[in-house]
Amino acid sequence: MPLAFLLATAWAAPTVQYAELKKVNGTSQTATLTLDYLDFFVLDDGNIKQVMKLGGYRTPDEASDANPSGIYISNTNPQLRLLKTNSKTKFYLVCLADSDPGQFRSVELKTFVASWQGDTPKGCWPFAQTVQLELDGSRIVSVTEVYYP
């Protein structure tokens, strides 16, 4: 195996993937997440052409008008994926903070799952089923709730 491949693999940055969280099976330490991957785009100059193509929009204004939140979500692949967390996986919810509203709160797995199931902690927003995953290969580094205002 070439040394360049080994070095590139060892230094590869984690990737970000958005998904709809469909199911959680687990214990207090680890869980298996059933996920439906999503294409998730913020409507900006760097993404607008791709959003127009994916959504069939003729103009940037048409894409913006159809997605007033400024976010375009597409789910073109119905395949569900099972990924496992480990004891090092970090979990975050969107919660109010006294000094800086709209911040992410680091929580334990059981609190994250309870929020996903509808038992939202005080001061946090209701869970919207969408998560942002930070992945290192197939290892989940972090799972962050995505809140749609």
Side-chain angles (χ1 to χ4, degrees), residues 42-74:
V42 174
L43 296 180
D44 61 20
D45 291 342
N47 295 327
I48 195 69
K49 287 183 181 180
Q50 191 167 7
V51 168
M52 287 171 56
K53 182 179 177 182
L54 288 170
Y57 304 113
R58 294 175 300 223
T59 66
D61 287 342
E62 185 179 342
S64 295
D65 290 346
N67 300 282
S69 67
I71 297 170
Y72 175 79
I73 299 171
S74 173

Side-chain angles (χ1 to χ4, degrees), residues 63-122:
S64 295
D65 290 346
N67 300 282
S69 67
I71 297 170
Y72 175 79
I73 299 171
S74 173
N75 185 355
T76 57
N77 184 344
Q79 176 185 353
L80 297 180
R81 288 143 179 103
L82 300 176
L83 296 178
K84 294 183 180 185
T85 67
N86 62 39
S87 61
K88 294 182 182 180
T89 302
K90 305 284 186 204
F91 298 91
Y92 300 96
L93 295 175
V94 181
C95 303
L96 296 175
D98 294 334
S99 60
D100 196 1
Q103 289 296 312
F104 297 100
R105 181 187 301 169
S106 178
V107 297
E108 294 179 2
L109 171 62
K110 67 180 181 178
T111 303
F112 187 86
V113 173
S115 182
W116 172 73
Q117 293 173 332
D119 186 12
T120 305
K122 183 176 180 175

Side-chain angles (χ1 to χ4, degrees), residues 13-29:
T15 59
V16 172
Q17 175 64 55
Y18 290 87
E20 185 175 336
L21 183 54
K22 296 288 196 175
K23 187 175 180 183
V24 180
N25 290 325
T27 66
S28 62
Q29 294 290 326

Side-chain angles (χ1 to χ4, degrees), residues 131-144:
V131 294
Q132 177 190 36
L133 305 166
E134 183 179 351
L135 302 170
D136 186 4
S138 62
R139 184 177 76 83
I140 300 176
V141 176
S142 66
V143 183
T144 304

